[in-house]
Amino acid sequence: MNLKPAELRTLQFGPLWVLSSVVGTYGRFKSYELAAFWDTVVAVALRTPLPARDFLTSMTQDRTGLLLDFELDDRPVVSGLRQ
């Protein structure tokens, strides 16, 4: 992928914004919600061709950092998904 770091982070936030919409909270997910989310990301990555697989894999490389950045991001779900 030839994306700037900020662009990649915005893409990585996309699935988390969807998760936020589904569970009705912005960040501070319950442990079982995150467990199901990460299991799904990994399962989908295993069946996805490149370069989408690389993107999904990049989400799992620093889960804690991604979640922290997500919680610190001030974009609402709709604005973030639009970006």
Side-chain angles (χ1 to χ4, degrees), residues 1-81:
M1 283 185 275
N2 294 333
L3 298 171
K4 295 177 184 173
E7 293 170 329
L8 177 60
R9 201 49 131 189
T10 296
L11 282 176
Q12 291 171 328
F13 287 167
L16 291 168
W17 280 315
V18 172
L19 176 63
S20 293
S21 296
V22 170
V23 299
T25 185
Y26 190 83
R28 309 219 187 250
F29 302 109
K30 296 177 181 159
S31 60
Y32 67 87
E33 294 167 342
L34 282 175
F37 174 78
W38 291 121
D39 286 349
T40 302
V41 169
V42 170
V44 170
L46 293 173
R47 298 186 312 266
T48 302
L50 296 172
R53 182 182 322 139
D54 288 341
F55 163 71
L56 292 167
T57 302
S58 76
M59 290 182 61
T60 64
Q61 291 172 342
D62 180 16
R63 295 175 185 190
T64 303
L66 177 63
L67 290 171
L68 178 60
D69 288 350
F70 180 72
E71 288 184 16
L72 295 174
D73 188 83
D74 61 351
R75 291 174 283 188
V77 172
V78 174
S79 298
L81 286 172

